[in-house]
């Protein structure tokens, strides 16, 4: 039997448009390699599969699924009979499942979910599911309590947070990102991503006194490596509904009062790492270790939860006011659109999504067929449009202007990364 891990190679239409490499995707891939090493799987038995070309697998293998997936771009493994899917730290970037998806997933119970939100979706469909967290929580702890150079790393932190950082820290800070904008992008650039990810993780491990970030796959490995880590964002989405078991989150208001004289302590989580690896190996081998799995699930169930998407919810309340049953159109059949949709349904259970529109995606999304924006928006002049895609914002604003729609009145730009 061969084993397989996704690698961040291949090209998607989205990547071609935005010319960006997300090093977090490479970190996820490296964490699977670590699981294989823990399971004593030989390098020669491991296949590397492009995230964007799952149909290329031509021999039987067990493929680790450890990311967030939506049907339009990344659930094609369902249609390749060579793939035995292994759900370890799996997440959903959609809140509904089609009958064929339910039947497929149920064959591979128990499903080890990354987050509580995914578990809730699967449980709704009577699929046996447990929360184990992310495999990127299993990186080795560094030996020294503090990095050799005592540097503060601000990774993907927005400027509105940086204004609250004391000058003496800013002067020695490393301000960087894991979302790397490129002049161009091709297969070779993508292949270099894993090398860059390893270099960056090594840099954090050796040099960081503290890491401050809103990025999931910066926070997880840094916490695992024993680096004091601060999570900063006004909109931590439901994808983070496991990470709050380990650290505190800060929004703009609470971060403005952060006491830099008493910085965060590192988190001790070696026992959790072992449970994650044992649970993962057992499912990989086809003999689930329910003792480890249920210990992890109970651990996450008893955590103190963050207030997910707090700023986004406030924006939505300002848009819909006291309307108990608002109607809306979402532009963006994406993870961003999914987060907005879930927030609206949480705040307004009786609300109605009139349509989901997207330039590039096709298929079914939240129970509705994805449509192109021009016709739908023209036919619904009184329905508010929520633009929930960062890459499509300029396109959306251009079309709205041509149609006579006013920003902050007829349409709104909302995204968890704002």
């Amino acid at each position: 039997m061969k084993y397989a891990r996704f690698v961040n190679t291949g090209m998607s239409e989205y990547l071609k448009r935005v010319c960006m490499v997300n090093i977090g995707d490479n970190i996820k891939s490296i964490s699977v390699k670590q699981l294989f090493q823990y399971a004593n799987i030989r390098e020669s038995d491991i296949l590397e599969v492009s995230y964007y070309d799952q149909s290329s697998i031509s021999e039987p293998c067990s493929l680790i699924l450890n990311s967030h997936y939506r049907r339009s771009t990344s659930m094609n493994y369902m249609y390749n009979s060579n793939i035995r899917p292994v759900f370890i730290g799996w997440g959903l970037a959609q809140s509904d499942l089609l009958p064929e998806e339910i039947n497929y997933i149920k064959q591979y119970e128990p499903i080890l979910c990354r987050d509580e939100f995914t578990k809730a979706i699967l449980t709704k469909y009577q699929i046996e599911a447990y929360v184990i967290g992310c495999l990127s929580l299993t990186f080795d702890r560094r030996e020294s309590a503090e990095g050799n150079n005592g540097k503060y790393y601000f990774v993907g932190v927005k400027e509105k947070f940086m204004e609250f950082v004391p000058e003496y820290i800013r002067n020695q800070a490393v301000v960087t990102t894991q979302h790397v904008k490129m002049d161009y992008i091709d297969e070779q650039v993508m292949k270099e991503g894993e090398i860059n990810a390893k270099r960056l993780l090594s840099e954090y491990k050796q040099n960081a006194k503290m890491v401050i970030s809103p990025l999931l796959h910066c926070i997880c490995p840094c916490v695992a490596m024993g680096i004091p880590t601060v999570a900063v964002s006004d909109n931590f989405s439901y994808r983070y509904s496991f990470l709050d078991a380990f650290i505190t989150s800060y929004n703009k208001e609470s971060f403005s009062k952060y006491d830099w004289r008493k910085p965060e302590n590192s988190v001790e989580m070696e026992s959790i790492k072992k449970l994650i690896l044992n649970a993962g190996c057992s499912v990989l081998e086809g003999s689930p270790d329910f003792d480890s799995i249920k210990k992890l699930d109970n651990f996450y169930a008893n955590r103190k939860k963050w207030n997910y998407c707090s700023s986004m919810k406030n924006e939505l309340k300002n848009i819909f006011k006291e309307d108990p049953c608002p109607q809306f159109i979402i532009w963006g059949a994406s993870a961003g659109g999914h987060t907005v949709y879930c927030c609206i349904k949480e705040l307004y259970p009786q609300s109605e999504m009139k349509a989901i529109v997207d330039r590039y995606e096709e298929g079914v999304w939240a129970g509705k067929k994805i449509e192109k924006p021009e016709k739908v928006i023209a036919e619904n002049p009184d329905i508010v449009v929520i633009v929930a895609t960062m890459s499509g914002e300029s396109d959306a604003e251009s079309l709205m202007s041509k149609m006579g729609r006013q920003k902050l009145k007829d349409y709104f730009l909302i995204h968890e990364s704002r």
Side-chain angles (χ1 to χ4, degrees):
M1 169 63 75
K2 295 287 187 179
Y3 300 87
R5 68 181 180 115
F6 281 124
V7 290
N8 193 29
T9 59
M11 302 294 294
S12 68
E13 288 302 318
Y14 172 77
L15 288 174
K16 292 175 184 176
R17 293 200 314 273
V18 301
C19 281
M20 184 189 73
V21 175
N22 181 359
I23 290 178
D25 289 336
N26 299 109
I27 290 172
K28 287 184 295 185
S29 181
I30 294 168
S31 70
V32 175
K33 196 170 185 178
Q34 293 183 156
L35 175 67
F36 288 155
Q37 290 170 347
Y38 187 83
N40 295 315
I41 293 171
R42 294 178 301 182
E43 192 78 29
S44 59
D45 288 332
I46 299 173
L47 305 176
E48 294 186 345
V49 182
S50 170
Y51 188 73
Y52 303 103
D53 188 17
Q54 299 161 29
S55 62
S56 65
I57 299 178
S58 58
E59 57 183 307
C61 67
S62 294
L63 174 64
I64 303 295
L65 304 178
N66 70 316
S67 188
H68 267 65
Y69 298 86
R70 66 182 190 272
R71 69 177 59 94
S72 60
T73 57
S74 54
M75 291 179 70
N76 296 326
Y77 48 79
M78 289 177 52
Y79 309 108
N80 188 331
S81 59
N82 285 313
I83 294 174
R84 173 204 167 218
V86 186
F87 298 84
I88 303 174
W90 188 66
L92 276 169
Q94 58 194 53
S95 54
D96 67 309
L97 292 173
L98 301 176
E100 59 266 32
E101 293 167 345
I102 298 168
N103 292 335
Y104 179 85
I105 295 169
K106 279 189 71 66
Q107 296 177 67
Y108 302 100
E109 297 170 317
I111 307 303
L112 306 190
C113 305
R114 179 198 289 177
D115 54 80
E116 181 182 65
F117 182 73
T118 298
K119 177 187 174 181
I121 296 169
L122 297 182
T123 302
K124 178 177 69 174
Y125 293 105
Q126 288 79 54
I127 296 171
E128 185 179 7
Y130 303 89
V131 180
I132 69 155
C134 184
L135 282 175
S136 62
L137 289 170
T138 63
F139 283 88
D140 289 339
R141 188 176 181 85
R142 65 184 182 183
E143 294 181 5
S144 61
E146 182 177 309
N148 294 334
N149 295 319
K151 293 182 179 179
Y152 291 83
Y153 283 81
F154 292 81
V155 187
V157 177
K158 294 191 176 300
E159 188 59 39
K160 66 180 180 180
F161 289 95
M162 294 299 296
E163 64 182 270
F164 301 115
V165 179
E167 185 176 356
Y168 77 91
I169 290 178
R170 284 204 306 271
N171 289 340
Q172 58 179 309
V174 178
V175 180
T176 185
T177 181
Q178 291 185 176
H179 295 155
V180 184
K181 192 75 174 176
M182 313 294 290
D183 293 330
Y184 71 95
I185 195 164
D186 60 16
E187 186 68 21
Q188 184 58 38
V189 169
M190 296 298 290
K191 286 181 178 178
E192 291 171 357
E194 188 157 317
I195 296 171
N196 292 331
K198 290 177 180 177
R199 176 196 57 77
L200 191 58
L201 290 174
S202 178
E203 185 176 345
Y204 295 155
K205 191 173 187 177
Q206 292 177 25
N207 299 327
K209 179 183 181 70
M210 181 185 292
V211 170
I212 302 93
S213 181
L215 305 178
L216 186 68
H217 289 104
C218 173
I219 297 172
C220 283
C222 287
V223 168
M225 290 187 292
I227 301 170
T229 305
V230 176
V232 292
S233 175
D234 285 327
N235 273 316
F236 283 112
S237 78
Y238 304 101
R239 294 183 297 115
Y240 293 72
S241 57
F242 71 95
L243 188 55
D244 37 8
F246 304 104
I247 60 174
T248 302
S249 68
Y250 294 84
N251 60 18
K252 184 179 178 181
E253 180 182 358
S254 58
F255 190 67
S256 69
K257 302 170 186 175
Y258 187 80
D259 188 352
W260 294 90
R261 297 167 300 177
K262 299 178 181 178
E264 301 292 305
N265 293 317
S266 62
V267 177
E268 174 57 51
M269 52 180 300
E270 297 310 296
S271 61
I272 296 297
K273 288 182 193 178
K274 188 169 184 179
L275 286 174
I276 293 172
L277 291 169
N278 286 345
C281 284
S282 72
V283 172
L284 183 62
E285 294 165 358
S287 301
D289 174 2
F290 282 102
D291 182 53
S292 293
I293 291 168
K294 290 181 179 180
K295 280 181 180 177
L296 282 166
D297 192 70
N298 289 333
F299 169 75
Y300 290 110
N302 293 316
R303 74 193 191 280
K304 183 178 180 180
K305 300 178 184 181
W306 295 349
N307 182 13
Y308 310 121
C309 305
S310 55
S311 179
M312 185 181 294
K313 289 173 184 174
N314 287 335
E315 289 183 79
L316 292 168
K317 289 175 184 177
N318 287 331
I319 293 170
F320 297 126
K321 308 299 182 186
E322 301 299 321
D323 187 347
C325 306
Q327 295 182 322
F328 59 95
I329 294 169
I330 287 182
W331 184 322
S334 60
H338 173 250
T339 302
V340 171
Y341 174 79
C342 290
C343 284
I344 295 174
K345 298 306 287 187
E346 181 181 335
L347 293 171
Y348 306 97
Q350 303 305 313
S351 62
E352 179 187 3
M353 184 174 72
K354 292 289 288 184
I356 173 69
V357 301
D358 199 291
R359 284 270 190 236
Y360 303 96
E361 301 289 355
E362 298 179 349
V364 176
W365 193 93
K368 289 189 177 291
K369 182 181 178 182
I370 302 171
E371 303 181 74
K372 301 306 177 190
E374 287 84 354
K375 183 172 182 292
V376 171
I377 294 172
E379 291 176 349
N380 294 277
D382 299 323
I383 304 297
V384 166
V385 178
I386 307 294
V387 179
T389 167
M390 296 286 277
S391 63
E393 276 189 5
S394 59
D395 181 23
E397 292 204 86
S398 176
L399 178 61
M400 294 297 181
S401 177
K402 290 177 183 177
M403 299 179 77
R405 290 237 178 181
Q406 297 181 44
K407 188 175 180 179
L408 302 181
K409 179 176 180 291
D410 304 308
Y411 76 94
F412 299 83
L413 308 178
I414 300 182
H415 195 278
E416 64 185 86
S417 297
R418 283 192 166 281

